[in-house]
Amino acid sequence: MNAENRDVHVSWIPLSGFHLRKAGVQFDAVRVDGEDGRRLADWMEVLTGGDPGPVVMEDNGRRGVYFLLPPGTTAHRAWPRGVTRFNSGPAHVSYVPVPALTGKTWPLSWRCLPSGPNRFVHPLLLRSAVRELLS
């Protein structure tokens, strides 16, 4: 992590450890598990010149890769099979694990840090990349 990334001030990032954040408030998310998620993260970095927006990786269990998107951008769109959506709506609430920027956050880590409070993964670019990779 470089000095620039340590200066990220985003209210929903915990100061230590990790917290569950309600999806649909500050962000929505999609998760792609295992090697597919890691390949997708690699590809998104290439497509965006190294700054796809915030991406969180899980190092145990499903080994999920969470792509954080602007709030309200996943609920009413079709996503390919292999993608789990995290959002909120009537009678539906989901939570996304978010690690601190530094310290002990295992099993979570930042693959790509947010560069600001309103900087997220671009939903249409991500959907296109998912379709290409998982089809």
Side-chain angles (χ1 to χ4, degrees):
M1 181 181 322
N2 62 36
E4 177 185 331
N5 290 338
R6 287 190 200 121
D7 293 335
V8 173
H9 298 289
V10 180
S11 64
W12 45 265
I13 297 177
L15 296 176
S16 63
F18 62 88
H19 293 165
L20 294 177
R21 299 293 187 209
K22 183 179 175 185
V25 178
Q26 288 98 353
F27 56 82
D28 281 5
V30 298
R31 186 187 72 218
V32 178
D33 294 332
E35 290 308 310
D36 286 340
R38 280 148 175 72
R39 282 195 344 263
L40 180 59
D42 289 342
W43 197 10
M44 288 296 292
E45 283 189 82
V46 169
L47 292 173
T48 60
D51 185 17
V55 178
V56 173
M57 291 183 35
E58 186 176 44
D59 290 329
N60 69 347
R62 300 170 192 226
R63 299 186 67 228
V65 179
Y66 295 84
F67 298 86
L68 307 186
L69 295 91
T73 58
T74 66
H76 302 290
R77 289 184 171 82
W79 287 84
R81 192 168 61 188
V83 171
T84 303
R85 297 179 298 165
F86 294 83
N87 51 55
S88 295
H92 173 76
V93 176
S94 53
Y95 293 88
V96 178
V98 176
L101 295 175
T102 60
K104 295 180 181 183
T105 63
W106 192 88
L108 302 172
S109 62
W110 286 101
R111 167 70 182 255
C112 301
L113 287 165
S115 53
N118 296 315
R119 173 71 173 101
F120 294 101
V121 174
H122 192 280
L124 295 177
L125 180 61
L126 181 62
R127 273 189 26 223
S128 295
V130 167
R131 283 192 180 122
E132 190 67 29
L133 268 179
L134 300 182
S135 298

